[in-house]
Amino acid sequence: MTRPTSAAVIRRAHAAGFAIPAFNVPYLPMIEPVVQALRDTRCFGFVAVARLEWEKFEAGGPRPVREEYERVKDERFTRLHLDHTPVIDEDLLAVDYMAIIEEAIALGYDSVMVDGSRLAFEENVEATRRVVHAAHEAGIPAEAELGAVLGHESGPLPDYEELFASGRGFTDVDEARRFVELTGVDWLSVAVGNIHGAISGAAKSQKKPAARLSIPHLQKLVSATRVPLVLHGGSGIRRESLHEGMRNGIAKINVGTTLRQAYEAAIPSGPDAARRAVYEATTQVIRDELALEGTADRIPEG
Ligand code: 13P
């Protein structure tokens, strides 16, 4: 049996109109119940870690995540993804992003993401090209972001309805076309009404606003780019938007806040309860919100 690459898995989901969920793990004990939930629902998914999850939470770094993933992985259903590697981070500090990307590649991550979305267009292109080159040399796909998926910054988020109505930060269609041509990026994270869950202050534990997606805008991005698109900020998006998104070119959906909040809320009851809470939250997202149960059976080998 050959093992489908992450690129093949996303290609298949994209062609068939469903998505591969990527579950973020800001705490190492979350990895095992996420893998277990994917196996039990026969859903193909990624275990994902972003730099902010070892800087601001307890994921430890790319290596501890890799080691824990190795211990519990089930490659019939899972792959390991390096999420947001910012060039400029949420506190507006410059990051040695290539060092992180190279470390993850050397550790055997199955795909990587560079986030140059806080840069000017040309700088984002330049950083993404470097990462795409390094990833392709290693035979793995690279993801990048264009547009502003807000929410990770400290301070209050602008009113969601105002944000949506103004289209502020939405990925520009012409830029998206040029970005994909110039960088050769495999998967593109876009902003079409989605927002990230907050990671600091009191907002970190609050329920996210129920975001929705501009499907007409998404459709324009799909025809302009012709690559699988990625939806960040997957927690708490209205169910009908998630499903319309999948039917309209979204092939990867990142989910962080729902699982993190479930884990953190259960921690006072002990580590077993916290792991169980992650298992239940992951299963619920797969079954009820995304309706992706059984989708691993639709991904051929090789
Ligand atoms: P949420 O935390 O809002 O689900 O977003 C997760 C994400 O997009 C990680 O890249």
Side-chain angles (χ1 to χ4, degrees):
M1 183 179 121
T2 45
R3 166 182 179 269
T5 62
S6 287
V9 167
I10 291 284
R11 243 193 332 268
R12 172 69 188 154
H14 191 228
F18 66 91
I20 303 300
F23 293 112
N24 283 79
V25 290
Y27 301 91
L28 294 175
M30 293 175 70
I31 300 177
E32 188 166 22
V34 166
V35 169
Q36 183 70 39
L38 288 165
R39 179 168 39 232
D40 289 354
T41 56
R42 300 193 67 77
C43 172
F44 208 106
F46 296 164
V47 171
V49 68
R51 173 181 176 268
L52 67 86
E53 285 158 341
W54 65 79
E55 291 288 332
K56 298 189 188 261
F57 296 93
E58 295 171 19
R63 181 179 292 278
V65 170
R66 174 77 213 178
E67 285 169 359
E68 176 62 2
Y69 176 76
E70 273 304 302
R71 195 180 72 76
V72 302
K73 72 180 180 184
D74 185 337
E75 290 188 328
R76 293 171 303 164
F77 303 103
T78 64
R79 295 287 179 272
L80 182 61
H81 173 70
L82 179 73
D83 189 24
H84 289 281
T85 309
V87 180
I88 302 288
D89 73 10
E90 50 292 332
D91 300 319
L92 303 181
L93 299 172
V95 174
D96 186 358
Y97 63 99
M98 274 317 286
I100 299 172
I101 297 278
E102 278 161 7
E103 183 184 359
I105 290 174
L107 285 165
Y109 276 63
D110 299 302
S111 50
V112 292
M113 178 196 185
V114 59
D115 177 1
S117 64
R118 294 189 185 89
L119 303 172
F121 179 81
E122 285 74 19
E123 290 166 348
N124 190 356
V125 166
E126 202 40 51
T128 301
R129 282 169 70 118
R130 287 182 73 190
V131 170
V132 168
H133 181 75
H136 288 183
E137 290 262 289
I140 61 170
E143 175 182 336
E145 184 163 297
L146 187 68
V149 184
L150 298 174
H152 278 165
E153 306 72 16
S154 51
L157 191 70
D159 177 73
Y160 179 74
E161 288 306 324
E162 270 173 38
L163 199 67
F164 188 85
S166 70
R168 186 154 73 78
F170 279 23
T171 307
D172 181 86
V173 176
D174 279 335
E175 281 192 355
R177 178 184 298 111
R178 283 193 292 134
F179 188 83
V180 169
E181 278 168 14
L182 291 168
T183 61
V185 76
D186 300 276
W187 313 328
L188 184 65
S189 160
V190 292
V192 288
N194 45 319
I195 49 165
H196 283 119
I199 53 162
S200 50
K204 155 176 176 279
S205 306
Q206 284 160 9
K207 198 168 169 347
K208 277 180 73 177
R212 59 187 195 277
L213 307 180
S214 167
I215 300 298
H217 196 80
L218 179 62
Q219 286 168 335
K220 288 184 201 149
L221 290 170
V222 168
S223 23
T225 61
R226 311 233 157 252
V227 295
L229 299 182
V230 182
L231 185 69
H232 281 242
S235 300
I237 295 182
R238 294 179 198 177
R239 199 173 183 279
E240 62 276 16
S241 273
L242 289 171
H243 289 266
E244 271 193 275
M246 285 190 259
R247 284 194 296 273
N248 285 282
I250 295 289
K252 174 171 174 281
I253 300 183
N254 290 14
V255 178
T257 302
T258 301
L259 275 51
R260 175 180 59 74
Q261 289 181 343
Y263 181 85
E264 289 171 344
I267 269 292
S269 309
D272 287 347
R275 275 196 293 269
R276 209 161 39 246
V278 172
Y279 175 81
E280 279 160 15
T282 312
T283 307
Q284 195 263 333
V285 168
I286 294 169
R287 286 203 174 121
D288 304 338
E289 284 181 35
L290 300 171
L292 289 174
E293 186 162 17
T295 42
D297 300 331
R298 296 166 64 189
I299 295 170
E301 294 169 17

